[in-house]
């Protein structure tokens, strides 16, 4: 099986991120704290608890070069945490939001980070040495609803976003004095900060989990309509593909190579999507063994499951007539997977990633032992 390690850290996890050497993991146990665990003698021990937010922490990212943690919360605030001796010291971030902060990502050069919010805005933050705080420039009046996910292009300038208005957008985030001319997109007319490069209207429902491929040539995101979208040649005339599947919707995606994407979501089981030699994307299989065991007709089982959840009969056994709900045998996660992170180290040939979900588990997956997937890695 592809899952090589399963760790039950909490009852529910909203998001997680790894330290640069992967010896520590930071996650939010569905409250206003960030817990940091360290692997000591093959056991995970809690070493730090970051307490600054007033409401649930909705996003965490751990920079790979500077070893800094950025956190955002529904309290509309963000903090950058720096390691000073044995403690983590927070630095204030000026977001100027009037709604919850929902997601955050460091840029590839780690001189900026982007925050998506429920205020229909994206804050691009950078450090001001004189005042010892992080300030933000805001992309306004571009989104019609909450920004659910952000993703940086490898060039450190382009930023992709998804929103509950069903659209995926790509913006320029060039900031004078922070970015260099060499890192611009190379077009004759360089885009200014906040300029929209492209707007993709492919989904008819909420959009989530946008990611760039390692080269930056392909963009992938998911919709709440059980579809995943792949877009090449970002610009005036992008080339788009969509893959529909019969399972529950996805919440996040991850490129493990130029030809392979892992999608995670409400099916509690990572899904593998891959492109063939002609560039056509398709669903390959679930990573975990997926076997449905039904104790009755499918429609009757689904109806009884919903009825039992509503009245508590399935949990407490109040009725002898309750039909056992359908279950996924072999699936590692017991609830929705809402976060996925790459675990590859530089120079390593292994293809590992981790997932966390509402069941409180962090699961590490290894694609190296999946013989049928090696052609896509």
């Amino acid at each position: 099986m592809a899952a090589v390690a399963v760790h039950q850290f909490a009852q529910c996890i909203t998001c997680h991120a790894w330290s640069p050497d992967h010896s520590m993991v930071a996650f939010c146990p569905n409250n206003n704290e960030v817990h940091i665990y360290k692997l000591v003698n093959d056991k995970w021990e809690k070493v730090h608890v970051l307490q600054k937010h007033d409401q649930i922490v909705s996003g965490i990212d751990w920079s790979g070069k500077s070893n800094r943690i950025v956190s955002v919360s529904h309290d509309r605030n963000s903090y950058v945490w720096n390691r000073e001796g044995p403690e983590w010291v927070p630095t204030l971030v000026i977001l100027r939001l009037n709604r919850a902060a929902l997601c955050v990502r460091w840029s590839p050069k780690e001189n900026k980070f982007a925050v998506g919010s429920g205020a229909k805005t994206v804050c691009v933050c950078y450090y001001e040495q004189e005042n010892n705080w992080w300030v933000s420039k805001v992309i306004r009046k571009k989104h019609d609803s909450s920004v659910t996910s952000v993703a940086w292009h490898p060039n450190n300038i382009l930023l992709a976003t998804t929103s509950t208005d069903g659209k995926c957008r790509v913006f320029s985030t060039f900031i004078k004095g922070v970015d260099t001319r060499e890192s611009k997109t190379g077009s004759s007319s360089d885009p200014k900060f906040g300029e929209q490069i492209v707007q993709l209207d492919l989904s008819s429902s909420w959009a989530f989990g946008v990611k760039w491929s390692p080269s930056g040539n392909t963009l992938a995101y998911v919709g709440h309509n059980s579809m995943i979208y792949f877009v090449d040649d970002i610009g005036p005339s992008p080339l788009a593909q969509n893959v529909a599947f019969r399972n529950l919707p996805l919440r996040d995606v991850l490129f493990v190579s130029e030809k392979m994407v892992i999608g995670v979501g409400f099916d509690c089981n990572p899904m593998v999507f891959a492109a063939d030699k002609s560039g056509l994307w398709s669903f390959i299989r679930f990573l975990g063994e997926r076997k449905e065991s039904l104790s009755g007709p499918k429609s009757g089982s689904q109806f009884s499951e919903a009825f039992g959840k509503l009245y508590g009969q399935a949990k407490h056994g109040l009725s002898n007539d309750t039909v056992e709900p359908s279950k996924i045998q072999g699936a590692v996660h017991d609830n929705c997977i809402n976060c996925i992170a790459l675990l590859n180290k530089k120079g390593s040939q292994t293809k590992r990633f981790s997932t966390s979900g509402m069941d409180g588990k962090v699961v590490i997956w290894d694609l190296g032992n999946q013989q049928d997937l090696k052609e896509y890695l």
Side-chain angles (χ1 to χ4, degrees), residues 21-53:
D21 61 357
H22 305 151
S23 65
M24 292 188 287
V25 60
F27 62 86
C28 169
N30 201 34
N31 58 18
N32 63 334
E33 299 175 344
V34 176
H35 292 191
I36 300 178
Y37 278 71
K38 185 176 183 179
L39 187 61
V40 179
N41 297 326
D42 295 329
K43 293 183 179 180
W44 290 97
E45 297 181 359
K46 186 190 297 184
V47 291
H48 299 284
V49 177
L50 310 184
Q51 296 175 313
K52 196 69 176 178
H53 291 288

Side-chain angles (χ1 to χ4, degrees), residues 208-237:
F208 295 100
V210 63
K211 289 291 191 305
W212 294 91
S213 65
S215 66
N217 294 329
T218 305
L219 185 69
Y221 70 100
V222 297
H224 206 58
N225 55 352
S226 294
M227 296 187 74
I228 183 170
Y229 306 92
F230 300 94
V231 185
D232 297 310
D233 299 334
I234 298 296
S237 302

Side-chain angles (χ1 to χ4, degrees), residues 297-314:
K298 185 174 182 181
S299 59
S301 175
Q302 292 177 343
F303 175 79
S304 301
E305 181 179 356
F307 188 84
K309 285 181 178 180
L310 181 62
Y311 290 100
Q313 293 176 352

